[in-house]
Amino acid sequence: MYRQFRKHITSCCLVLGMLGNLFAQTADSISQVVVFVGIDDKYAPKRSVLDVNEIEATKKSVISELRQDGYWLASFDSVRMDSDTLKVFGYQGRSFDDVEISIVDAEDMINNLTRFPKIKSNKISSPEQIESEIERLLDYLEMNGYPFATFFMDSSSMIDDKLWVQLRLDIGSKITYDSLVVNPAGLVKPVFLSKYLGLDFGENYDERDLAQVEDKIQHLPFLSLEKVSTSFQLKKARVEMDLIHRKVNYFDGILGLVPGQDGEGVEVTGELDLSISNLFQSGKKVEVNWKKLEPGAQQLHAAYLHPILLGSPLDFYFSLDQIRQDTIYSNRSLQFAFDYRPSRSVSMRMSYENLLGNELDDRSGASGDFDIDYYGLSIDWYKLDQLYNPKSGFQTQWSINIGKKSVTNTGTPIPESTQYRLRATLEYYKKISARSVLYLASKNGVIFNDYLYLNDLFRLGGLKTIRGFNELEFFASRYALINLEWRYYVDTNSYLVAFYDQSFLSYEILSGSFSDQPSGLGAGMQFNTDQGNFKILYGLGKRDGASFSFASSKIHFGYTAIF
């Protein structure tokens, strides 16, 4: 905010204080013969025809070149008209290879500041480097509560063939954060937002905090930033933000009744989706998803996100997942995680997960009873034009989980073992015309262990992975998946799409092995409105031993009401 003004003051002080004032030229704009006197020919032309503006530009160029060569005290000090020639008298002086700069009368002030940077005097070889050093010192002061600090030229002297430059520091008033005003009121609590943005009340003002506001608010899906401004009064900084509420909460569901598995009674089937963000106006989020698309098989996912845990930069995440596959197996997963963003484009997650597998009535022996404690680390790195619905850029995610596995209820004892689960995803967006976007994704995963069961494995298939197949139709301990899409946007967030999915998957478990190369091909559309998101895709699936067939095609349909 203050960098350009600050740099202007610094430059003026150096030029006026150390090198002296340049002479004032007459307002005569007529070109005339000009001779530079007292300056080596290599720096100034001996005789030129110049107008007044060219004279000033030539003087600045000559002085700049002299300073770069070590003639720190060079200056132009007088001008005289001699017949039809204008003589400009300069002082070149001697060159200095050794320059020292210091701050005078500021020892007590500097001692009160933590880790005040030292001046790198041994690296000074030009006035530009003095400016660079001053900028570095002012950056430190700006980041520690002194945004109005400035340096002034105090004096310069020659001692023992060394040029000494003394600077004087005007530190200005110390500024701390006083309050955060959010418009409109009631959208989000200022206390939460100030901690999330690092604008803690009473803490030192830091210009970097305000520079990162827009990037940080992008990670709050329920908000977008319209304007941010800062005012100063009585050594306090008051930050005011104009925000816009974005609809991201959604609820969707469908229920049905089907005959029971034994032909008696009825069973409830269907799907329910609920996601609520910014609970209690404090950024908290709750998600619940329940699916029971056929009798005997159901899934439950519930998650809670608590941002800025106890005022720290960590977000706390908890999830519960339960999946039952007919009478074959039932899995339960509990996960606890902490999220951290070390920079604007990188986020990290450290997690603990307990995965409990239960074999129900799997006569094939493919499923098993086991207990795994996974410890994991994941990294998300992205460079996108916009965080939601991007049209250019890339995003990559890497995760590794290492766990201790115990297998129970087996006829043959199986020793405790270490199980590895690795996943990697790369997504790339390329805008190829005003309305067309190419999307390419590579998704990969592998699980390593000598004692794998069916309910250990990844699940793939359906709308988010391999389109043209049922949801979670495939099992895999190793998979590589390529998604290719061409999107034609009819407005900002709505588009028509043609896609092709190709996968390579396999598994090796105690009871046998399997491999396949299923692929999906199709088209569809996605429309976003103020009331909700609508998506419909038509896909054809192909796998080893079978070709694309309209008879086995799938329609992937989804509508989510948002509020």
Side-chain angles (χ1 to χ4, degrees), residues 103-250:
I103 304 172
V104 298
D105 299 332
E107 185 175 351
D108 292 340
M109 189 184 304
I110 292 174
N111 289 337
N112 291 329
L113 299 173
T114 304
R115 297 181 180 177
F116 189 83
K118 294 182 179 180
I119 298 176
K120 301 176 181 178
S121 297
N122 60 328
K123 295 186 178 182
I124 301 299
S125 61
S126 69
E128 286 75 12
Q129 287 181 310
I130 289 186
E131 291 188 23
S132 177
E133 283 297 291
I134 291 176
E135 280 291 295
R136 190 171 63 89
L137 299 178
L138 289 174
D139 284 341
Y140 166 84
L141 292 168
E142 188 179 76
M143 293 183 295
N144 288 271
Y146 297 94
F148 299 107
T150 55
F151 280 95
F152 296 92
M153 180 69 192
D154 182 78
S155 60
S156 61
S157 58
M158 292 180 290
I159 303 175
D160 298 332
D161 293 330
K162 180 184 292 188
L163 180 63
W164 292 80
V165 179
Q166 288 80 40
L167 304 175
R168 186 173 296 277
L169 171 62
D170 181 0
I171 200 169
S173 298
K174 184 175 183 179
I175 306 297
T176 58
Y177 292 114
D178 175 62
S179 60
L180 173 63
V181 178
V182 176
N183 298 318
L187 187 59
V188 62
K189 289 182 178 178
V191 173
F192 158 72
L193 194 59
S194 65
K195 289 186 178 296
Y196 176 79
L197 298 174
L199 310 176
D200 293 333
F201 305 147
E203 293 296 319
N204 291 340
Y205 176 89
D206 188 340
E207 185 72 12
R208 294 175 303 177
D209 296 335
L210 295 177
Q212 297 173 3
V213 163
E214 185 173 1
D215 289 325
K216 288 185 175 181
I217 285 186
Q218 281 190 8
H219 290 92
L220 296 176
F222 52 90
L223 292 179
S224 61
L225 179 67
E226 187 174 26
K227 185 180 68 174
V228 58
S229 59
T230 309
S231 58
F232 303 93
Q233 187 176 9
L234 300 176
K235 301 182 181 181
K236 301 290 185 180
R238 181 176 183 265
V239 181
E240 186 169 352
M241 294 183 187
D242 294 340
L243 302 173
I244 299 174
H245 171 66
R246 290 196 298 202
K247 293 182 178 180
V248 293
N249 299 331
Y250 60 84

Side-chain angles (χ1 to χ4, degrees), residues 32-50 58 62 85-89:
Q32 50 198 325
V33 177
V34 180
V35 175
F36 291 88
V37 182
I39 304 296
D40 288 349
D41 289 345
K42 64 177 292 188
Y43 296 108
K46 191 66 178 177
R47 191 178 185 89
S48 300
V49 178
L50 306 171
T58 303
V62 168
T85 301
L86 183 67
K87 292 185 177 181
V88 179
F89 293 89

Side-chain angles (χ1 to χ4, degrees), residues 399-468:
S399 69
I400 178 171
N401 296 84
I402 303 174
K404 282 295 182 181
K405 182 177 186 179
S406 300
V407 180
T408 58
N409 297 333
T410 60
T412 303
I414 295 178
E416 186 176 79
S417 59
T418 301
Q419 185 155 309
Y420 300 89
R421 185 176 66 193
L422 295 86
R423 281 175 283 200
T425 299
L426 174 63
E427 298 175 281
Y428 177 72
Y429 302 83
K430 175 65 175 179
K431 198 168 186 177
I432 55 179
S433 71
R435 291 183 176 270
S436 298
V437 173
L438 181 68
Y439 168 77
L440 177 64
S442 172
K443 303 173 184 177
N444 310 272
V446 60
I447 299 176
F448 293 110
N449 190 271
D450 292 332
Y451 310 101
L452 288 178
Y453 293 97
L454 196 67
N455 46 333
D456 271 306
L457 307 183
F458 299 115
R459 302 289 303 272
L460 296 94
L463 182 61
K464 296 181 179 180
T465 52
I466 314 171
R467 288 158 289 192

Side-chain angles (χ1 to χ4, degrees), residues 168-445:
R168 186 173 296 277
L169 171 62
D170 181 0
I171 200 169
S173 298
K174 184 175 183 179
I175 306 297
T176 58
Y177 292 114
D178 175 62
S179 60
L180 173 63
V181 178
V182 176
N183 298 318
L187 187 59
V188 62
K189 289 182 178 178
V191 173
F192 158 72
L193 194 59
S194 65
K195 289 186 178 296
Y196 176 79
L197 298 174
L199 310 176
D200 293 333
F201 305 147
E203 293 296 319
N204 291 340
Y205 176 89
D206 188 340
E207 185 72 12
R208 294 175 303 177
D209 296 335
L210 295 177
Q212 297 173 3
V213 163
E214 185 173 1
D215 289 325
K216 288 185 175 181
I217 285 186
Q218 281 190 8
H219 290 92
L220 296 176
F222 52 90
L223 292 179
S224 61
L225 179 67
E226 187 174 26
K227 185 180 68 174
V228 58
S229 59
T230 309
S231 58
F232 303 93
Q233 187 176 9
L234 300 176
K235 301 182 181 181
K236 301 290 185 180
R238 181 176 183 265
V239 181
E240 186 169 352
M241 294 183 187
D242 294 340
L243 302 173
I244 299 174
H245 171 66
R246 290 196 298 202
K247 293 182 178 180
V248 293
N249 299 331
Y250 60 84
F251 174 77
D252 187 24
I254 183 171
L255 295 176
L257 298 176
V258 298
Q261 288 182 292
D262 298 330
E264 299 181 359
V266 294
E267 286 193 28
V268 177
T269 62
E271 180 175 359
L272 292 175
D273 259 323
L274 173 66
S275 176
I276 300 178
S277 298
N278 197 28
L279 278 173
F280 314 115
Q281 301 174 12
S282 58
K284 301 177 180 66
K285 182 178 181 180
V286 171
E287 289 182 336
V288 178
N289 173 258
W290 172 80
K291 291 181 181 179
K292 188 176 182 182
L293 303 181
E294 57 185 20
Q298 62 178 323
Q299 303 169 45
L300 172 66
H301 168 75
Y304 171 72
L305 177 67
H306 188 112
I308 316 301
L309 181 65
L310 301 177
S312 73
L314 299 177
D315 298 342
F316 172 72
Y317 176 82
F318 166 77
S319 69
L320 166 66
D321 289 273
Q322 181 83 40
I323 181 170
R324 179 188 174 107
Q325 187 67 30
D326 296 321
T327 59
I328 301 175
Y329 69 82
S330 174
N331 279 12
R332 188 269 297 151
S333 170
L334 284 176
Q335 185 181 89
F336 301 88
F338 293 96
D339 297 337
Y340 174 64
R341 294 187 181 90
S343 71
R344 58 186 294 181
S345 59
V346 176
S347 63
M348 303 173 62
R349 169 169 288 185
M350 296 154 284
S351 63
Y352 164 77
E353 178 188 359
N354 176 253
L355 177 60
L356 185 64
N358 293 287
E359 184 266 330
L360 299 178
D361 188 19
D362 185 3
R363 299 179 182 179
S364 68
S367 303
D369 294 329
F370 56 82
D371 191 345
I372 306 176
D373 290 316
Y374 275 121
Y375 297 89
L377 173 66
S378 63
I379 298 176
D380 187 355
W381 177 37
Y382 52 89
K383 189 176 182 181
L384 303 168
D385 61 336
Q386 55 190 24
L387 201 57
Y388 301 98
N389 195 18
K391 296 179 177 64
S392 66
F394 71 89
Q395 179 172 1
T396 182
Q397 296 172 306
W398 300 78
S399 69
I400 178 171
N401 296 84
I402 303 174
K404 282 295 182 181
K405 182 177 186 179
S406 300
V407 180
T408 58
N409 297 333
T410 60
T412 303
I414 295 178
E416 186 176 79
S417 59
T418 301
Q419 185 155 309
Y420 300 89
R421 185 176 66 193
L422 295 86
R423 281 175 283 200
T425 299
L426 174 63
E427 298 175 281
Y428 177 72
Y429 302 83
K430 175 65 175 179
K431 198 168 186 177
I432 55 179
S433 71
R435 291 183 176 270
S436 298
V437 173
L438 181 68
Y439 168 77
L440 177 64
S442 172
K443 303 173 184 177
N444 310 272

